[in-house]
Amino acid sequence: MFDILVYLYETYYRPDACPEPAALARKLSAVGFDDVEISEALVWLTDLTEMAGGDLEFAASSDGIRFYVDQEYEVLGTAAVGFIQFLESAKVLSPVQREIVIERALVLDESPVGLGKLKIIVLMLLWSQGKEPDALMFDDLFGSDDEQAPRLLH
């Protein structure tokens, strides 16, 4: 599924440039993606688009602290939680966007969610909202998936 999401991100500059789901499914199939993965990706992306398009910006500026329940922490893992906090502190994600990223990660059938997959979720969220991270943040999102590499602060 994530290969399809990356393909969409790289192929269609804006989400409104994507064809309708039926035509998109045919195009993805013609490129060589598996029908089951295409279906999963389109459902996941449709749910993301519905969540991201909602009128939730009233909560965009929050000074609260986000506490993760045990289930969230188990599914996300330490690296993902740390990365989400980093993105929020860097003002790449608003509190609303953070919640969408967490929800989309929790629906995956994976525990803990790999940092590479979390980065794709963030990119797809920003893409679905027509936003693009600045160049340095883009490098971090598309950079190495090595979860063991320490983050250097300069």
Side-chain angles (χ1 to χ4, degrees):
M1 176 179 88
F2 281 91
D3 290 337
I4 294 172
L5 296 176
V6 170
Y7 176 82
L8 293 175
Y9 183 86
E10 291 175 344
T11 304
Y12 299 101
Y13 181 70
R14 297 180 332 267
D16 57 353
C18 279
E20 293 300 315
L24 181 58
R26 285 191 301 274
K27 286 184 179 222
L28 291 171
S29 183
V31 172
F33 290 109
D34 180 62
D35 289 340
V36 173
E37 286 188 358
I38 292 170
S39 177
E40 289 175 0
L42 292 180
V43 167
W44 188 92
L45 193 57
T46 299
D47 291 345
L48 171 72
T49 304
E50 288 175 4
M51 292 181 74
D55 187 22
L56 300 173
E57 288 306 311
F58 65 88
S61 61
S62 170
D63 294 333
I65 296 174
R66 172 62 152 92
F67 289 96
Y68 294 83
V69 297
D70 290 340
Q71 178 198 11
E72 292 171 331
Y73 206 83
E74 287 174 19
V75 172
L76 294 172
T78 306
V81 170
F83 192 68
I84 291 169
Q85 290 173 337
F86 164 73
L87 293 175
E88 191 175 6
S89 69
K91 304 289 187 222
V92 173
L93 293 178
S94 70
V96 172
Q97 291 170 318
R98 174 198 64 216
E99 294 304 315
I100 294 171
V101 168
I102 291 169
E103 191 279 334
R104 292 286 78 206
L106 291 177
V107 300
L108 299 177
D109 203 15
E110 185 174 325
S111 180
V113 173
L115 193 53
K117 289 183 179 178
L118 184 76
K119 290 177 180 184
I120 293 170
I121 292 170
V122 171
L123 279 173
M124 293 309 295
L125 171 63
L126 296 175
W127 177 78
S128 73
Q129 294 178 331
K131 300 175 183 174
E132 191 170 320
D134 65 28
L136 290 175
M137 194 54 63
F138 183 81
D139 287 344
D140 201 23
L141 288 171
F142 254 151
S144 170
D145 294 341
D146 183 10
E147 296 181 27
Q148 303 303 318
R151 180 174 305 284
L152 301 175
L153 298 176
H154 300 272

